[in-house]
Amino acid sequence: MTSTTFRIGGDLTVRRLGFGAMHLPTDPGPAREKSVAVARRAVELGVTLIDTAYLYGGGANEELLADALHPYPDGLLITTKVGVARSGPSGEWKLDGRPAVLRDQVEQALRRLRVERIELLQLHRIDPEIPLADQVGTLRDLRAEGRIGRIGLSEVTVDELDEARKIVDIASVQNRYNLLDREHEPVLAACEAAGIAFLPWRPVARGESGARAEIAAVAAALGATPTQVALAWLLGRSPVVLPIPGTARIDHLEENLAAEHLDIPAVHRARLDRLAEPG
């Protein structure tokens, strides 16, 4: 029986199938009202892990979640990401891992999310222009100060993960990974070996038509949707995998969460495993 929960950092229990808030519209009006309804419905359905980032609207996504869900129910983890800012020559988004920028973004996230501590704070990307030790070290210092509880990384290699772990405990890694895109298989293996949560972004495969046909065939055989098959495959791939599918529609949200109850028999799993070669 596949476990439906995972302890991030060894002590923070969440439901493995979470929700990615990136796609929620934040502009005032009916679309925002629907976004609030989707976020609330996710929590009603038992979601305890919601992923957001400063990059998603320059903090607007964080504010939306706070408007929808604060005061937060016990056990709800909203994880956010820092390290991308409008620091380009013309104010465009770029990687920015300068310690002062990371500190400011964490402080702003605390304010927008209306919390005193962010239980899981992720570095959105490693800025190649700033020493990794300075970036991860800043997050380590913020953890020591009680501003964040656990530290995660995103889009990292095995070597980068190893280097970061020499500086501070890493609780999560958020890399692109799905049924048809397994480039980061070595990173998943490293996370599994270390008990680190692996949050695949873009968890629903968008592959070639032939591969999608294979997924559709398995879905038809199991009485499920291709999306549910893709998510159920991830849940069965490794106990450290915590998919965070995103949507702005309640019907899609309910479809996604139902994947938790889909059991993929070995014969079908083997068929799906063959769709992409690891690494």
Side-chain angles (χ1 to χ4, degrees):
M1 181 68 179
T2 301
S3 174
T4 59
T5 62
F6 183 81
R7 292 163 65 92
I8 298 177
D11 63 347
L12 185 61
T13 300
V14 297
R15 183 178 175 183
R16 287 179 61 203
L17 193 50
F19 175 69
M22 181 178 71
H23 298 293
L24 295 179
T26 58
D27 291 338
R32 182 185 176 88
E33 293 171 8
K34 289 181 180 178
S35 295
V36 168
V38 170
R40 289 176 176 169
R41 182 60 175 154
V43 173
E44 287 175 2
L45 292 172
V47 167
T48 57
L49 169 61
I50 296 179
D51 176 82
T52 184
Y54 172 68
L55 177 63
Y56 308 159
N61 199 267
E62 295 170 336
E63 291 176 340
L64 170 75
L65 292 174
D67 287 346
L69 302 172
H70 192 274
Y72 304 115
D74 291 341
L76 177 64
L77 169 65
I78 297 181
T79 174
T80 192
K81 299 183 283 293
V82 298
V84 186
R86 291 191 180 277
S87 303
S90 302
E92 69 269 20
W93 291 101
K94 69 181 292 289
L95 303 185
D96 196 335
R98 290 175 294 171
V101 171
L102 298 180
R103 277 190 166 274
D104 180 67
Q105 288 190 356
V106 169
E107 292 301 324
Q108 295 300 324
L110 288 164
R111 178 184 58 79
R112 284 188 293 265
L113 290 170
R114 307 177 203 170
V115 293
E116 295 183 356
R117 185 169 97 154
I118 297 169
E119 293 300 333
L120 176 62
L121 189 284
Q122 302 171 96
L123 184 63
H124 208 143
R125 295 288 188 277
I126 292 174
D127 183 348
E129 297 181 4
I130 305 295
L132 175 63
D134 290 353
Q135 299 174 71
V136 176
T138 298
L139 301 186
R140 176 199 58 204
D141 293 346
L142 285 163
R143 189 184 71 172
E145 296 162 18
R147 309 304 277 162
I148 60 181
R150 296 154 198 82
I151 297 166
L153 304 172
S154 182
E155 282 303 286
V156 292
T157 65
V158 171
D159 288 345
E160 289 168 338
L161 175 59
D162 288 344
E163 185 179 350
R165 292 182 67 207
K166 293 174 183 176
I167 301 167
V168 72
D169 293 338
I170 299 299
S172 70
V173 168
Q174 187 167 333
N175 278 22
R176 189 189 69 251
Y177 184 87
N178 59 54
L179 182 53
L180 300 178
D181 180 357
R182 306 182 207 172
E183 175 187 350
H184 294 297
E185 195 81 40
V187 181
L188 170 55
C191 288
E192 185 171 357
I196 295 171
F198 184 88
L199 284 63
W201 64 267
R202 195 177 292 164
V204 177
R206 299 177 183 175
E208 301 168 355
S209 58
R212 286 204 300 269
E214 283 287 303
I215 299 170
V218 171
L222 300 179
T225 68
T227 294
Q228 289 172 335
V229 168
L231 292 171
W233 180 85
L234 281 171
L235 290 170
R237 173 64 188 81
S238 167
V240 306
V241 172
L242 281 60
I244 45 170
T247 180
R249 290 174 47 176
I250 286 180
D251 58 336
H252 286 168
L253 169 71
E254 294 174 346
E255 173 191 344
N256 292 344
L257 294 179
E260 184 181 80
H261 307 292
L262 178 63
D263 180 52
I264 302 178
V267 62
H268 292 301
R269 179 164 287 278
R271 185 177 182 183
L272 296 171
D273 288 346
R274 291 192 294 268
L275 290 178
E277 291 297 327

